Amino acid sequence: MTRSGPQSTELDQLRRRVQERTADLQRVKAEYDNYRKRVRRDRPAVREIAAANVARALLPVVDAVDRALANEPLTPGLRDVADSLQEQLGSLGGTPFGQVGDPFDPACHDALAHHVCAVTDRLVCSAVLRPGYRLGENLLRPATVEITGSAPPARSAPAPECGVRGCIRPRRKAAPACRAELTCLLPHGYRGRGHRIRCPQIASKRR
């Protein structure tokens, strides 16, 4: 027995609405699944960024304590503070680097002085002024060092030009378009410091 008329039309409308709501629910569920996967994938990166920010904020305190240890008498309280700071940095994943004798790497070393030594042909760290720190594979800050090695290659400074081929004198500024008398330099090979030429406009007026 088949239905016809208004009942069939109403049933078709209900079926169409159920299909639309089902499609909406499936779309929302797919979006939520993608969001959950994205959050799970980004959670380690967010955690590492937060740890790096905290560790970077602690570095000035660590430097101050290290200077106090180097210049002040060592006391049990100061030693405890230094150990606690290093422990907190270690818990965040921060590790110091920079030792005397390490090969110089401009990616992680900041050189303040270069001592020339002809014995070795490679650059090495001869003094560590401030240690660097890493957090995993990320660089928190470079190590400040002094390096020793061969002299860097000399750079040849480009010679200034004056506009004449073969001349090494600096280029002179262009003179105004109209002057009563203009002084110009003679080309190379002429004697004398210069000669004078008269402005065509002035010459025509005098005629």
Side-chain angles (χ1 to χ4, degrees):
M1 180 177 182
T2 59
R3 298 181 181 181
S4 60
Q7 294 182 353
S8 177
T9 304
E10 183 177 0
L11 182 60
D12 293 338
Q13 293 178 354
L14 290 176
R15 288 177 178 175
R16 186 171 59 254
R17 290 179 181 178
V18 169
Q19 293 177 356
E20 292 176 355
R21 298 299 181 270
T22 302
D24 293 339
L25 290 175
Q26 291 176 349
R27 184 173 61 254
V28 171
K29 182 178 182 300
E31 293 177 355
Y32 178 73
D33 291 339
N34 293 332
Y35 169 76
R36 186 171 55 184
K37 293 178 181 178
R38 186 168 60 252
V39 169
R40 189 183 300 113
R41 183 182 65 249
D42 296 342
R43 186 177 291 118
V46 173
R47 186 185 300 112
E48 188 172 356
I49 292 173
N53 292 333
V54 175
R56 193 175 290 111
L58 288 176
L59 291 182
V61 184
V62 175
D63 294 337
V65 173
D66 290 341
R67 288 192 298 267
L69 290 174
N71 299 319
E72 299 293 335
L74 183 60
T75 60
L78 186 59
R79 183 77 263 175
D80 291 341
V81 172
D83 293 341
S84 298
L85 284 173
Q86 291 296 336
E87 183 179 353
Q88 292 300 322
L89 278 176
S91 65
L92 292 173
T95 55
F97 70 92
Q99 299 292 332
V100 175
D102 290 346
F104 174 69
D105 185 2
C108 59
H109 292 137
D110 187 9
L112 295 186
H114 182 188
H115 305 286
V116 178
C117 178
V119 178
T120 177
D121 58 348
R122 67 170 186 168
L123 298 176
V124 296
C125 300
S126 56
V128 180
L129 306 180
R130 190 180 68 173
Y133 280 88
R134 289 191 181 95
L135 184 65
E137 296 182 357
N138 297 325
L139 181 67
L140 292 179
R141 76 172 184 194
T144 305
V145 299
E146 294 181 1
I147 59 176
T148 300
S150 58
R155 295 182 178 178
S156 57
E161 299 178 355
C162 73
V164 179
R165 181 176 298 180
C167 180
I168 61 173
R169 289 179 296 181
R171 184 185 298 273
R172 293 181 177 271
K173 294 182 179 180
C178 178
R179 292 174 55 185
E181 290 183 348
L182 300 176
T183 301
C184 68
L185 294 176
L186 288 171
H188 294 291
Y190 283 79
R191 295 182 179 180
R193 300 181 59 184
H195 68 280
R196 296 183 180 275
I197 61 174
R198 296 185 180 276
C199 176
Q201 298 179 8
I202 302 298
S204 62
K205 290 181 180 179
R206 290 182 179 179
R207 293 176 183 174

